[in-house]
Amino acid sequence: MAHDIQPPSWRIRASSLPTYLDCQVRWAAQTQRRMVLEAGFTLREIGRPVGGIVGAGLHAGITVALRPLLSGLAVDSLARARDAAAAAVSQEFAEGRPVVMDQTTGSPGEARDQTVSMVGSLYERAVPAMRPVLLDPDTQIEARLHKDAFVSGKPDMIELGEQITDLKSGSNRKAAGAQYGAYALLRKSHGLPTKRIVEVFQRRTKRTLDAPVITEIDVGAAERLASATLREAMMKLMAFSTTSDPLTFLPNPGSILCSSRYCPAWGTDFCHAHRTDTKEG
């Protein structure tokens, strides 16, 4: 393997930090793919998980519902929000990229139907309390939080009272404190305070939808976790750029995403720790 990779100005997305904490190898393969390939390793091409498509549709629908509030108008109709969500999901499938289905969402039609239902749940149970002052994509922010790294993030919305609000969906709720802490650090680097962080989680399910789970995140704890995660990730990137040793990044074969369906490093020369009992297909 080559040992003369020059350390670049790396770019790290705030939303990728939970992946780093779950499996460093998968994080490097997904977010620093070019660096891994230039070091002489091979990586697999994988499809986009259907959960990400449903999540994108959910965000599109809720954003359409909330955007009139920025101009002092009433929330847009549920019908328009659902139409926007369905159109976003359909567009994702129309692009022709491979999609990884799962046990919860097995077809494009099911993805659309679930997204529309989830938009309805949030519209009725969470949207009435939301008071956005900025919505994606206007929340995009970037800063050099390390001398060799730019960090970027795009919270779903900033609400009155310097509150970060982020929408999450999925078949299971995952910890995303490092992501939210990075958002707060990015805002702080631009002189913008963060007084509250709120996560709104809507479960993706085949059954009757649960009510959304609304959780307040400790701002200070999230910032400390994000700072520690970014610091360690940079140490690993700098070490790998010198040694090209794949075990610079620790694998987690116990991750539920340790599978050829979800990880570009699975079964390659960049990772020999994958679970051999994983069912593929």
Side-chain angles (χ1 to χ4, degrees):
M1 295 294 176
H3 298 288
D4 57 353
I5 305 171
Q6 296 301 309
S9 286
W10 286 287
R11 291 186 175 272
I12 298 175
R13 290 177 292 108
S15 60
S16 77
L17 296 187
T19 298
Y20 181 88
L21 292 174
D22 184 52
C23 179
Q24 296 174 17
V25 169
R26 191 172 78 254
W27 176 83
Q30 288 179 339
T31 71
Q32 308 296 329
R33 184 181 182 91
R34 179 177 176 181
M35 177 191 70
V36 173
L37 294 175
E38 288 180 349
F41 295 98
T42 56
L43 294 173
R44 303 168 56 257
E45 297 288 345
I46 60 172
R48 183 175 184 188
V50 68
I53 293 176
V54 170
L58 182 66
H59 284 74
I62 297 303
T63 299
V64 164
L66 292 173
R67 192 163 297 283
L69 294 178
L70 302 182
S71 302
L73 304 175
V75 172
D76 212 334
S77 70
L78 175 56
R80 284 175 57 83
R82 284 175 164 167
D83 286 347
V89 172
S90 296
Q91 178 60 38
E92 291 281 354
F93 283 104
E95 290 178 359
R97 296 164 53 195
V99 176
V100 179
M101 297 296 182
D102 58 30
Q103 293 181 345
T104 304
T105 309
S107 70
E110 196 167 24
R112 283 191 297 272
D113 291 346
Q114 289 174 352
T115 305
V116 166
S117 295
M118 292 163 71
V119 167
S121 175
L122 287 180
Y123 188 93
E124 294 174 4
R125 296 160 163 166
V127 165
M130 292 177 173
R131 299 292 182 267
V133 294
L134 282 176
L135 289 170
D136 175 11
D138 296 330
T139 58
Q140 175 74 34
I141 193 166
E142 180 179 86
R144 187 186 285 273
L145 297 185
H146 183 282
K147 65 183 180 65
D148 291 309
F150 284 98
V151 180
S152 63
K154 189 166 61 173
D156 293 324
M157 70 186 83
I158 305 299
E159 293 198 61
L160 286 172
E162 307 293 352
Q163 174 178 312
I164 293 173
T165 301
D166 215 61
L167 305 180
K168 291 292 184 193
S169 63
S171 54
N172 293 290
R173 186 175 171 223
K174 301 178 178 67
Q179 174 183 348
Y180 305 144
Y183 290 158
L185 290 175
L186 285 166
R187 285 175 54 80
K188 184 180 291 186
S189 74
H190 286 267
L192 302 170
T194 298
K195 296 181 180 177
R196 296 183 74 205
I197 300 174
V198 173
E199 177 189 272
V200 180
F201 173 75
Q202 179 65 62
R203 189 177 303 278
R204 175 171 56 95
T205 176
K206 286 182 178 290
R207 304 181 303 277
T208 303
L209 285 177
D210 300 330
V213 177
I214 301 175
T215 306
E216 183 159 356
I217 309 297
D218 184 301
V219 176
E223 287 181 343
R224 291 190 294 274
L225 178 59
S227 181
T229 305
L230 286 166
R231 184 167 57 249
E232 181 181 295
M234 284 308 307
M235 289 173 59
K236 296 296 183 81
L237 287 169
M238 295 175 75
F240 183 82
S241 72
T242 301
T243 67
S244 296
D245 180 0
L247 285 176
T248 301
F249 302 103
L250 295 179
N252 177 17
S255 169
I256 62 172
L257 298 180
C258 183
S259 162
S260 64
R261 294 164 61 84
Y262 300 113
C263 180
W266 196 95
T268 72
D269 54 0
F270 191 56
C271 182
H272 298 283
H274 58 273
R275 300 190 310 197
T276 56
D277 62 345
T278 302
K279 270 192 175 181
E280 303 306 321

mmCIF file of all heavy atoms in Angstrom, residues 7-14 16-17 27 32 141-152 186 189 226-227 229-238:
data_model
loop_
_atom_site.group_PDB
_atom_site.id
_atom_site.type_symbol
_atom_site.label_atom_id
_atom_site.label_comp_id
_atom_site.label_asym_id
_atom_site.label_seq_id
_atom_site.Cartn_x
_atom_site.Cartn_y
_atom_site.Cartn_z
ATOM 1 N N PRO A 7 -2.140 14.934 3.237
ATOM 2 C CA PRO A 7 -3.370 15.297 3.940
ATOM 3 C C PRO A 7 -4.042 16.498 3.283
ATOM 4 O O PRO A 7 -3.440 17.554 3.143
ATOM 5 C CB PRO A 7 -2.892 15.635 5.357
ATOM 6 C CG PRO A 7 -1.437 15.921 5.221
ATOM 7 C CD PRO A 7 -0.944 15.106 4.076
ATOM 8 N N PRO A 8 -5.277 16.349 2.831
ATOM 9 C CA PRO A 8 -5.999 17.460 2.205
ATOM 10 C C PRO A 8 -6.732 18.267 3.259
ATOM 11 O O PRO A 8 -6.595 18.031 4.450
ATOM 12 C CB PRO A 8 -7.003 16.714 1.316
ATOM 13 C CG PRO A 8 -7.323 15.482 2.131
ATOM 14 C CD PRO A 8 -6.063 15.125 2.891
ATOM 15 N N SER A 9 -7.503 19.226 2.797
ATOM 16 C CA SER A 9 -8.478 19.849 3.695
ATOM 17 C C SER A 9 -9.718 18.970 3.614
ATOM 18 O O SER A 9 -10.493 19.053 2.673
ATOM 19 C CB SER A 9 -8.779 21.285 3.246
ATOM 20 O OG SER A 9 -7.704 22.130 3.544
ATOM 21 N N TRP A 10 -9.876 18.101 4.582
ATOM 22 C CA TRP A 10 -10.993 17.170 4.557
ATOM 23 C C TRP A 10 -12.300 17.905 4.789
ATOM 24 O O TRP A 10 -12.345 18.929 5.466
ATOM 25 C CB TRP A 10 -10.811 16.099 5.630
ATOM 26 C CG TRP A 10 -9.772 15.086 5.317
ATOM 27 C CD1 TRP A 10 -9.859 14.081 4.407
ATOM 28 C CD2 TRP A 10 -8.478 14.971 5.905
ATOM 29 N NE1 TRP A 10 -8.696 13.337 4.408
ATOM 30 C CE2 TRP A 10 -7.838 13.862 5.316
ATOM 31 C CE3 TRP A 10 -7.793 15.696 6.888
ATOM 32 C CZ2 TRP A 10 -6.556 13.462 5.663
ATOM 33 C CZ3 TRP A 10 -6.515 15.308 7.239
ATOM 34 C CH2 TRP A 10 -5.917 14.211 6.630
ATOM 35 N N ARG A 11 -13.357 17.328 4.268
ATOM 36 C CA ARG A 11 -14.697 17.838 4.507
ATOM 37 C C ARG A 11 -15.488 16.780 5.253
ATOM 38 O O ARG A 11 -15.531 15.625 4.837
ATOM 39 C CB ARG A 11 -15.390 18.210 3.184
ATOM 40 C CG ARG A 11 -14.752 19.430 2.532
ATOM 41 C CD ARG A 11 -15.520 19.908 1.301
ATOM 42 N NE ARG A 11 -14.934 21.136 0.804
ATOM 43 C CZ ARG A 11 -15.275 22.349 1.224
ATOM 44 N NH1 ARG A 11 -16.232 22.469 2.134
ATOM 45 N NH2 ARG A 11 -14.685 23.418 0.738
ATOM 46 N N ILE A 12 -16.083 17.183 6.343
ATOM 47 C CA ILE A 12 -16.848 16.273 7.182
ATOM 48 C C ILE A 12 -18.245 16.849 7.358
ATOM 49 O O ILE A 12 -18.401 18.014 7.728
ATOM 50 C CB ILE A 12 -16.179 16.090 8.562
ATOM 51 C CG1 ILE A 12 -14.790 15.464 8.390
ATOM 52 C CG2 ILE A 12 -17.043 15.235 9.481
ATOM 53 C CD1 ILE A 12 -14.013 15.347 9.686
ATOM 54 N N ARG A 13 -19.248 16.035 7.074
ATOM 55 C CA ARG A 13 -20.632 16.465 7.258
ATOM 56 C C ARG A 13 -21.081 16.150 8.685
ATOM 57 O O ARG A 13 -20.842 15.057 9.189
ATOM 58 C CB ARG A 13 -21.543 15.767 6.257
ATOM 59 C CG ARG A 13 -21.350 16.241 4.819
ATOM 60 C CD ARG A 13 -22.231 15.467 3.843
ATOM 61 N NE ARG A 13 -21.801 14.069 3.742
ATOM 62 C CZ ARG A 13 -22.459 13.042 4.243
ATOM 63 N NH1 ARG A 13 -23.588 13.248 4.931
ATOM 64 N NH2 ARG A 13 -22.021 11.816 4.094
ATOM 65 N N ALA A 14 -21.733 17.092 9.295
ATOM 66 C CA ALA A 14 -22.238 16.872 10.652
ATOM 67 C C ALA A 14 -23.114 15.633 10.720
ATOM 68 O O ALA A 14 -23.064 14.868 11.683
ATOM 69 C CB ALA A 14 -23.012 18.097 11.128
ATOM 70 N N SER A 16 -22.823 12.930 9.301
ATOM 71 C CA SER A 16 -22.087 11.663 9.221
ATOM 72 C C SER A 16 -21.527 11.227 10.570
ATOM 73 O O SER A 16 -21.063 10.090 10.707
ATOM 74 C CB SER A 16 -20.933 11.779 8.212
ATOM 75 O OG SER A 16 -19.824 12.497 8.759
ATOM 76 N N LEU A 17 -21.547 12.088 11.581
ATOM 77 C CA LEU A 17 -20.897 11.751 12.853
ATOM 78 C C LEU A 17 -21.536 10.557 13.562
ATOM 79 O O LEU A 17 -20.815 9.743 14.152
ATOM 80 C CB LEU A 17 -20.848 12.973 13.763
ATOM 81 C CG LEU A 17 -20.003 14.148 13.249
ATOM 82 C CD1 LEU A 17 -19.889 15.233 14.315
ATOM 83 C CD2 LEU A 17 -18.615 13.696 12.804
ATOM 84 N N TRP A 27 -17.819 4.579 8.009
ATOM 85 C CA TRP A 27 -17.773 6.038 7.873
ATOM 86 C C TRP A 27 -16.706 6.456 6.866
ATOM 87 O O TRP A 27 -16.962 7.275 5.975
ATOM 88 C CB TRP A 27 -17.491 6.673 9.230
ATOM 89 C CG TRP A 27 -17.328 8.160 9.194
ATOM 90 C CD1 TRP A 27 -18.323 9.095 9.206
ATOM 91 C CD2 TRP A 27 -16.096 8.892 9.121
ATOM 92 N NE1 TRP A 27 -17.787 10.363 9.158
ATOM 93 C CE2 TRP A 27 -16.424 10.266 9.107
ATOM 94 C CE3 TRP A 27 -14.758 8.511 9.082
ATOM 95 C CZ2 TRP A 27 -15.446 11.267 9.048
ATOM 96 C CZ3 TRP A 27 -13.787 9.514 9.011
ATOM 97 C CH2 TRP A 27 -14.143 10.868 9.000
ATOM 98 N N GLN A 32 -15.201 9.297 2.955
ATOM 99 C CA GLN A 32 -13.847 9.615 2.491
ATOM 100 C C GLN A 32 -13.433 8.597 1.427
ATOM 101 O O GLN A 32 -12.305 8.113 1.394
ATOM 102 C CB GLN A 32 -12.865 9.601 3.669
ATOM 103 C CG GLN A 32 -13.280 10.462 4.850
ATOM 104 C CD GLN A 32 -13.336 11.940 4.516
ATOM 105 O OE1 GLN A 32 -12.574 12.432 3.674
ATOM 106 N NE2 GLN A 32 -14.229 12.674 5.176
ATOM 107 N N ILE A 141 -24.631 25.693 6.832
ATOM 108 C CA ILE A 141 -23.552 26.440 7.482
ATOM 109 C C ILE A 141 -22.278 25.610 7.430
ATOM 110 O O ILE A 141 -22.318 24.379 7.465
ATOM 111 C CB ILE A 141 -23.940 26.795 8.938
ATOM 112 C CG1 ILE A 141 -22.991 27.833 9.528
ATOM 113 C CG2 ILE A 141 -24.035 25.557 9.817
ATOM 114 C CD1 ILE A 141 -23.516 28.462 10.821
ATOM 115 N N GLU A 142 -21.138 26.284 7.308
ATOM 116 C CA GLU A 142 -19.850 25.593 7.191
ATOM 117 C C GLU A 142 -18.798 26.374 7.950
ATOM 118 O O GLU A 142 -18.864 27.603 8.046
ATOM 119 C CB GLU A 142 -19.459 25.457 5.710
ATOM 120 C CG GLU A 142 -18.145 24.745 5.473
ATOM 121 C CD GLU A 142 -17.821 24.610 3.992
ATOM 122 O OE1 GLU A 142 -17.233 25.551 3.416
ATOM 123 O OE2 GLU A 142 -18.155 23.558 3.411
ATOM 124 N N ALA A 143 -17.847 25.666 8.497
ATOM 125 C CA ALA A 143 -16.759 26.338 9.211
ATOM 126 C C ALA A 143 -15.552 25.409 9.264
ATOM 127 O O ALA A 143 -15.684 24.183 9.197
ATOM 128 C CB ALA A 143 -17.176 26.715 10.628
ATOM 129 N N ARG A 144 -14.383 26.008 9.397
ATOM 130 C CA ARG A 144 -13.168 25.220 9.601
ATOM 131 C C ARG A 144 -13.027 25.010 11.113
ATOM 132 O O ARG A 144 -12.513 25.875 11.826
ATOM 133 C CB ARG A 144 -11.941 25.948 9.040
ATOM 134 C CG ARG A 144 -10.670 25.105 9.058
ATOM 135 C CD ARG A 144 -9.463 25.928 8.629
ATOM 136 N NE ARG A 144 -9.429 26.178 7.208
ATOM 137 C CZ ARG A 144 -8.876 25.359 6.315
ATOM 138 N NH1 ARG A 144 -8.321 24.228 6.711
ATOM 139 N NH2 ARG A 144 -8.874 25.668 5.028
ATOM 140 N N LEU A 145 -13.511 23.863 11.577
ATOM 141 C CA LEU A 145 -13.455 23.564 13.004
ATOM 142 C C LEU A 145 -12.168 22.852 13.393
ATOM 143 O O LEU A 145 -11.956 22.541 14.557
ATOM 144 C CB LEU A 145 -14.660 22.711 13.418
ATOM 145 C CG LEU A 145 -16.031 23.368 13.247
ATOM 146 C CD1 LEU A 145 -17.127 22.468 13.798
ATOM 147 C CD2 LEU A 145 -16.079 24.725 13.934
ATOM 148 N N HIS A 146 -11.314 22.590 12.421
ATOM 149 C CA HIS A 146 -9.989 22.004 12.633
ATOM 150 C C HIS A 146 -9.123 22.569 11.534
ATOM 151 O O HIS A 146 -9.603 22.872 10.446
ATOM 152 C CB HIS A 146 -10.070 20.479 12.562
ATOM 153 C CG HIS A 146 -8.773 19.779 12.848
ATOM 154 N ND1 HIS A 146 -7.761 19.684 11.921
ATOM 155 C CD2 HIS A 146 -8.337 19.140 13.956
ATOM 156 C CE1 HIS A 146 -6.755 19.006 12.442
ATOM 157 N NE2 HIS A 146 -7.075 18.669 13.676
ATOM 158 N N LYS A 147 -7.836 22.692 11.779
ATOM 159 C CA LYS A 147 -6.969 23.345 10.786
ATOM 160 C C LYS A 147 -6.938 22.607 9.452
ATOM 161 O O LYS A 147 -6.637 23.191 8.420
ATOM 162 C CB LYS A 147 -5.544 23.482 11.331
ATOM 163 C CG LYS A 147 -4.817 22.172 11.588
ATOM 164 C CD LYS A 147 -3.447 22.437 12.205
ATOM 165 C CE LYS A 147 -2.674 21.146 12.475
ATOM 166 N NZ LYS A 147 -2.335 20.442 11.224
ATOM 167 N N ASP A 148 -7.296 21.309 9.449
ATOM 168 C CA ASP A 148 -7.283 20.538 8.211
ATOM 169 C C ASP A 148 -8.673 20.071 7.787
ATOM 170 O O ASP A 148 -8.796 19.206 6.924
ATOM 171 C CB ASP A 148 -6.376 19.307 8.355
ATOM 172 C CG ASP A 148 -4.906 19.687 8.459
ATOM 173 O OD1 ASP A 148 -4.444 20.463 7.602
ATOM 174 O OD2 ASP A 148 -4.236 19.225 9.390
ATOM 175 N N ALA A 149 -9.719 20.614 8.371
ATOM 176 C CA ALA A 149 -11.052 20.102 8.038
ATOM 177 C C ALA A 149 -12.111 21.189 8.035
ATOM 178 O O ALA A 149 -12.167 22.018 8.934
ATOM 179 C CB ALA A 149 -11.457 19.012 9.021
ATOM 180 N N PHE A 150 -12.933 21.152 6.984
ATOM 181 C CA PHE A 150 -14.152 21.941 6.948
ATOM 182 C C PHE A 150 -15.289 21.037 7.410
ATOM 183 O O PHE A 150 -15.403 19.887 6.979
ATOM 184 C CB PHE A 150 -14.448 22.433 5.530
ATOM 185 C CG PHE A 150 -13.584 23.579 5.095
ATOM 186 C CD1 PHE A 150 -12.458 23.359 4.320
ATOM 187 C CD2 PHE A 150 -13.896 24.878 5.462
ATOM 188 C CE1 PHE A 150 -11.658 24.410 3.908
ATOM 189 C CE2 PHE A 150 -13.102 25.939 5.057
ATOM 190 C CZ PHE A 150 -11.982 25.705 4.287
ATOM 191 N N VAL A 151 -16.125 21.545 8.269
ATOM 192 C CA VAL A 151 -17.295 20.813 8.723
ATOM 193 C C VAL A 151 -18.518 21.568 8.219
ATOM 194 O O VAL A 151 -18.570 22.803 8.284
ATOM 195 C CB VAL A 151 -17.326 20.690 10.261
ATOM 196 C CG1 VAL A 151 -18.559 19.925 10.718
ATOM 197 C CG2 VAL A 151 -16.051 20.003 10.762
ATOM 198 N N SER A 152 -19.485 20.827 7.694
ATOM 199 C CA SER A 152 -20.690 21.465 7.183
ATOM 200 C C SER A 152 -21.912 20.789 7.780
ATOM 201 O O SER A 152 -21.874 19.623 8.177
ATOM 202 C CB SER A 152 -20.750 21.393 5.650
ATOM 203 O OG SER A 152 -20.813 20.046 5.218
ATOM 204 N N LEU A 186 -21.142 24.669 14.806
ATOM 205 C CA LEU A 186 -21.058 25.452 13.578
ATOM 206 C C LEU A 186 -21.719 26.813 13.764
ATOM 207 O O LEU A 186 -21.162 27.843 13.359
ATOM 208 C CB LEU A 186 -21.734 24.696 12.432
ATOM 209 C CG LEU A 186 -20.951 23.515 11.857
ATOM 210 C CD1 LEU A 186 -21.845 22.652 10.973
ATOM 211 C CD2 LEU A 186 -19.741 24.010 11.058
ATOM 212 N N SER A 189 -19.513 29.003 15.876
ATOM 213 C CA SER A 189 -18.344 29.522 15.154
ATOM 214 C C SER A 189 -18.685 30.753 14.319
ATOM 215 O O SER A 189 -17.803 31.521 13.940
ATOM 216 C CB SER A 189 -17.752 28.436 14.252
ATOM 217 O OG SER A 189 -18.567 28.207 13.118
ATOM 218 N N ALA A 226 -19.822 16.068 20.022
ATOM 219 C CA ALA A 226 -19.434 16.413 18.656
ATOM 220 C C ALA A 226 -17.970 16.813 18.594
ATOM 221 O O ALA A 226 -17.232 16.390 17.689
ATOM 222 C CB ALA A 226 -20.307 17.550 18.132
ATOM 223 N N SER A 227 -17.527 17.618 19.553
ATOM 224 C CA SER A 227 -16.141 18.063 19.563
ATOM 225 C C SER A 227 -15.185 16.890 19.712
ATOM 226 O O SER A 227 -14.177 16.784 18.989
ATOM 227 C CB SER A 227 -15.932 19.064 20.709
ATOM 228 O OG SER A 227 -14.607 19.533 20.733
ATOM 229 N N THR A 229 -15.794 13.741 18.982
ATOM 230 C CA THR A 229 -15.884 12.883 17.797
ATOM 231 C C THR A 229 -15.098 13.479 16.640
ATOM 232 O O THR A 229 -14.345 12.777 15.946
ATOM 233 C CB THR A 229 -17.356 12.690 17.391
ATOM 234 O OG1 THR A 229 -18.097 12.180 18.504
ATOM 235 C CG2 THR A 229 -17.471 11.712 16.235
ATOM 236 N N LEU A 230 -15.255 14.776 16.426
ATOM 237 C CA LEU A 230 -14.506 15.436 15.350
ATOM 238 C C LEU A 230 -13.008 15.373 15.599
ATOM 239 O O LEU A 230 -12.212 15.134 14.680
ATOM 240 C CB LEU A 230 -14.954 16.895 15.225
ATOM 241 C CG LEU A 230 -16.327 17.121 14.591
ATOM 242 C CD1 LEU A 230 -16.792 18.549 14.829
ATOM 243 C CD2 LEU A 230 -16.274 16.807 13.097
ATOM 244 N N ARG A 231 -12.603 15.575 16.841
ATOM 245 C CA ARG A 231 -11.177 15.532 17.178
ATOM 246 C C ARG A 231 -10.597 14.143 16.885
ATOM 247 O O ARG A 231 -9.531 14.015 16.283
ATOM 248 C CB ARG A 231 -10.995 15.904 18.642
ATOM 249 C CG ARG A 231 -9.528 15.991 19.095
ATOM 250 C CD ARG A 231 -9.414 16.676 20.446
ATOM 251 N NE ARG A 231 -10.194 16.011 21.476
ATOM 252 C CZ ARG A 231 -11.282 16.534 22.040
ATOM 253 N NH1 ARG A 231 -11.736 17.721 21.663
ATOM 254 N NH2 ARG A 231 -11.933 15.882 22.987
ATOM 255 N N GLU A 232 -11.327 13.103 17.297
ATOM 256 C CA GLU A 232 -10.826 11.750 17.056
ATOM 257 C C GLU A 232 -10.837 11.409 15.571
ATOM 258 O O GLU A 232 -9.896 10.802 15.054
ATOM 259 C CB GLU A 232 -11.667 10.724 17.811
ATOM 260 C CG GLU A 232 -11.161 9.299 17.598
ATOM 261 C CD GLU A 232 -11.991 8.264 18.320
ATOM 262 O OE1 GLU A 232 -11.993 8.297 19.574
ATOM 263 O OE2 GLU A 232 -12.625 7.433 17.646
ATOM 264 N N ALA A 233 -11.895 11.793 14.862
ATOM 265 C CA ALA A 233 -11.969 11.514 13.432
ATOM 266 C C ALA A 233 -10.816 12.163 12.688
ATOM 267 O O ALA A 233 -10.219 11.559 11.783
ATOM 268 C CB ALA A 233 -13.310 12.001 12.869
ATOM 269 N N MET A 234 -10.457 13.387 13.064
ATOM 270 C CA MET A 234 -9.333 14.050 12.415
ATOM 271 C C MET A 234 -8.015 13.346 12.717
ATOM 272 O O MET A 234 -7.148 13.221 11.854
ATOM 273 C CB MET A 234 -9.274 15.520 12.845
ATOM 274 C CG MET A 234 -10.307 16.396 12.176
ATOM 275 S SD MET A 234 -10.296 16.246 10.358
ATOM 276 C CE MET A 234 -8.561 16.557 10.012
ATOM 277 N N MET A 235 -7.844 12.882 13.939
ATOM 278 C CA MET A 235 -6.638 12.121 14.280
ATOM 279 C C MET A 235 -6.533 10.871 13.405
ATOM 280 O O MET A 235 -5.459 10.532 12.902
ATOM 281 C CB MET A 235 -6.661 11.729 15.753
ATOM 282 C CG MET A 235 -6.449 12.890 16.717
ATOM 283 S SD MET A 235 -6.681 12.398 18.457
ATOM 284 C CE MET A 235 -5.447 11.102 18.595
ATOM 285 N N LYS A 236 -7.679 10.198 13.196
ATOM 286 C CA LYS A 236 -7.679 8.991 12.371
ATOM 287 C C LYS A 236 -7.383 9.317 10.904
ATOM 288 O O LYS A 236 -6.623 8.598 10.236
ATOM 289 C CB LYS A 236 -9.033 8.278 12.495
ATOM 290 C CG LYS A 236 -9.357 7.759 13.891
ATOM 291 C CD LYS A 236 -8.396 6.677 14.337
ATOM 292 C CE LYS A 236 -8.724 6.089 15.693
ATOM 293 N NZ LYS A 236 -9.785 5.080 15.660
ATOM 294 N N LEU A 237 -7.983 10.382 10.396
ATOM 295 C CA LEU A 237 -7.733 10.760 9.007
ATOM 296 C C LEU A 237 -6.265 11.112 8.787
ATOM 297 O O LEU A 237 -5.651 10.712 7.783
ATOM 298 C CB LEU A 237 -8.622 11.941 8.624
ATOM 299 C CG LEU A 237 -10.105 11.624 8.429
ATOM 300 C CD1 LEU A 237 -10.912 12.907 8.317
ATOM 301 C CD2 LEU A 237 -10.322 10.752 7.200
ATOM 302 N N MET A 238 -5.688 11.843 9.700
ATOM 303 C CA MET A 238 -4.288 12.237 9.559
ATOM 304 C C MET A 238 -3.368 11.031 9.668
ATOM 305 O O MET A 238 -2.384 10.904 8.921
ATOM 306 C CB MET A 238 -3.946 13.298 10.595
ATOM 307 C CG MET A 238 -4.716 14.600 10.387
ATOM 308 S SD MET A 238 -4.443 15.839 11.678
ATOM 309 C CE MET A 238 -2.806 16.393 11.226
#
